[in-house]
Amino acid sequence: MRLFRRRPLLASVLLCALAVLAARPADVDGSHGSASGVSAQVARLYRDAALATRRYEEGRREADAQRARARRLEERLDRRRWEIAGAREDLGRIARAQYRSGGGLPIAAHIAFADDPDDLMRGQHAYSRAQLTLDHALERSRRAEARLAADEARTAAARQALEQRNAELVEVRRGIEEKLEEARRRLQGQADASVASGACRGPVRLGQPVTGSTGTWVAPVETYRLSASFGSGGERWANRHTGQDFAVPIGTPVRSVGHGRVVRVSCGGPFGIEVVVQHAGGYYTQYAHLAAVAVGQGERVVPGQWIAQSGTTGNSTGPHLHFEVRITPQAGSAVDPVAWLADRGVPTG
C-alpha cells in the first residue's frame, strides 16, 4: 500500500554533489571493504551531498536572479530605445514644419518679410530652446542606453558562468552516483552477512554534522516517501502492518526521534538489523530493516542523533525504514506511529 504524501528522496539530492566529492578516496582510512569503512563512506557522502546541495541551490537561485535581472534590463533598454525613437520622430516633425513654413531662408530674411517680427523672434527662440532640450534628452538617452547595455552584458556573462558551473555539477553527478551505488551495495552485502550469521557487528561511529534542530521530537529520517502504513494488510505480515514504512535509499542516516536509551540491538528475525529505544512516558521506538547501527545497547541518545543507516535486511522487499512505536520493548504492543509523532509536533503525512 502506498500513501500519497511524498517528500524528495535524498537520492535526488545527490545529483547535485560538488566535484570535490568525486575526488575523495573511495574508502576511509584505507579500510577497503571493511564494515566501518563502507558505513562511514556512505555517511560521509550523505553529509557532503547535503552541503553540495545547498551550494548548488544557491547557485541555481543566483542564476535565476541573474536571468530575471537580464530580462528587466532588456525591458528597460526596449523602453529607452522606444523613447529615443519617439524623440527623433518629434525632432523630425519640427524640422519638417520649419522647412515648410520657412523654406530654409536665413532667419534675417524671415524677420524682414514677417508681418510681426517680434512674434517670429519669439517663435524662433522657442524652437531653439525645444531643439536644445531635445538634443540634451537624446544625449542622456544615448548615455543611459550605453550603461544599460553594459549592465546587460555583465549580467549575461555572470549568468552564463553560473549556468556553466551548474552544468559541470550535473556532469560530476554521474561519478558520484556510481560511487555511492557501489558503496550502498557493499554496505547491504555486509548487513546481509551479519543477519545470516546472527552476529551483529559493533556500532559504526558516524561523524554526524552539527544540525540546527532544537526540537524535542523529530522524524526518524530527514527526507523520505511514505510507503506501507500502520494497520495495512499484506501477505508479508501475519495480521496487520505494525509500523510506518519510510521509503529511503540504503545507507540513509536514521535518527532517534527523541531523548532515550537504547535497549535493544539485534541482527536476526523478520526485522533484520534493528534498534529499539526507550523514551520517557513508557514508550519505545523501533527502527528495523537496517544496514548498520551507530549506537550500542545501553547508550543514551538525543533527538536527531544518527543511530543507524537504513537498508533492506530481514523480511523486506526493498530499501526502507520500518518505524514502530510500542508500549513495551517487544512486538505486539504497537500504536499508530504517525499519530504518535503528530501528537508530539512532528507531522509526517
Side-chain angles (χ1 to χ4, degrees):
M1 177 178 179
R2 303 289 184 186
L3 296 186
F4 300 106
R5 173 66 174 177
R6 293 179 179 267
R7 294 191 182 185
L9 296 179
L10 194 53
S12 63
V13 165
L14 297 172
L15 301 183
C16 307
L18 292 174
V20 66
L21 299 181
R24 287 178 176 262
D27 300 292
V28 178
D29 298 330
S31 54
H32 179 77
S34 69
S36 60
V38 176
S39 290
Q41 181 192 7
V42 174
R44 187 192 65 229
L45 284 170
Y46 272 97
R47 291 196 307 271
D48 290 342
L51 174 61
T53 300
R54 287 195 294 271
R55 291 176 178 172
Y56 176 84
E57 289 301 320
E58 288 170 1
R60 185 184 59 78
R61 287 192 294 270
E62 188 176 353
D64 290 343
Q66 292 285 11
R67 282 191 289 270
R69 174 173 167 79
R71 286 194 296 270
R72 290 194 298 270
L73 286 171
E74 183 60 34
E75 290 170 359
R76 289 172 61 186
L77 273 173
D78 288 341
R79 287 196 300 270
R80 183 65 68 180
R81 288 165 182 152
W82 182 82
E83 291 170 359
I84 290 174
R88 286 173 176 162
E89 181 63 25
D90 289 343
L91 183 58
R93 283 196 296 270
I94 294 172
R96 289 192 296 272
Q98 183 189 28
Y99 178 81
R100 287 193 299 269
S101 61
L105 292 174
I107 189 170
H110 283 292
I111 294 173
F113 292 106
D115 295 333
D116 189 343
D118 290 338
D119 286 344
L120 180 61
M121 289 297 294
R122 285 192 294 272
Q124 287 290 341
H125 180 65
Y127 170 77
S128 297
R129 282 195 309 172
Q131 186 173 22
L132 182 62
T133 300
L134 184 57
D135 289 342
H136 288 165
L138 288 172
E139 180 60 28
R140 287 195 301 271
S141 294
R142 282 191 289 268
R143 289 197 299 267
E145 184 178 13
R147 288 195 299 271
L148 286 170
D151 287 344
E152 185 182 40
R154 285 192 296 269
T155 301
R159 185 183 72 248
Q160 184 177 3
L162 285 168
E163 291 177 347
Q164 181 178 354
R165 186 188 73 178
N166 289 345
E168 290 170 354
L169 292 176
V170 171
E171 288 299 319
V172 168
R173 77 185 183 189
R174 294 184 176 90
I176 296 298
E177 287 174 339
E178 291 174 1
K179 184 179 293 186
L180 184 65
E181 184 61 29
E182 172 61 19
R184 284 173 171 160
R185 185 190 63 77
R186 287 190 285 131
L187 180 63
Q188 185 60 44
Q190 293 169 350
D192 291 338
S194 293
V195 172
S197 66
C200 289
R201 292 179 284 145
V204 177
R205 305 303 179 179
L206 304 175
Q208 181 173 0
V210 177
T211 64
S213 176
T214 57
T216 305
W217 301 94
V218 298
V221 284
E222 188 171 0
T223 57
Y224 55 83
R225 176 174 54 82
L226 295 179
S227 52
S229 60
F230 177 77
S232 58
E235 61 183 16
R236 297 192 306 277
W237 310 301
N239 295 301
R240 292 287 178 176
H241 193 222
T242 55
Q244 173 62 58
D245 286 351
F246 294 80
V248 289
I250 294 170
T252 300
V254 174
R255 312 186 295 182
S256 173
V257 297
H259 291 277
R261 182 173 64 88
V262 178
V263 296
R264 179 179 172 84
V265 176
S266 66
C267 302
F271 288 117
I273 299 175
E274 64 170 324
V275 173
V276 178
V277 177
Q278 181 183 19
H279 304 279
Y283 288 101
Y284 298 81
T285 54
Q286 179 205 32
Y287 313 79
H289 304 310
L290 305 171
V293 296
V295 291
Q297 194 160 310
E299 287 189 31
R300 291 283 178 180
V301 293
V302 298
Q305 179 179 337
W306 288 1
I307 60 174
Q309 289 170 290
S310 65
T312 181
T313 55
N315 182 15
S316 172
T317 59
H320 71 283
L321 169 70
H322 174 87
F323 175 71
E324 196 165 306
V325 179
R326 306 169 177 166
I327 57 175
T328 69
Q330 295 78 30
S333 60
V335 299
D336 186 347
V338 170
W340 187 84
L341 285 172
D343 289 342
R344 287 152 181 78
V346 184
T348 56

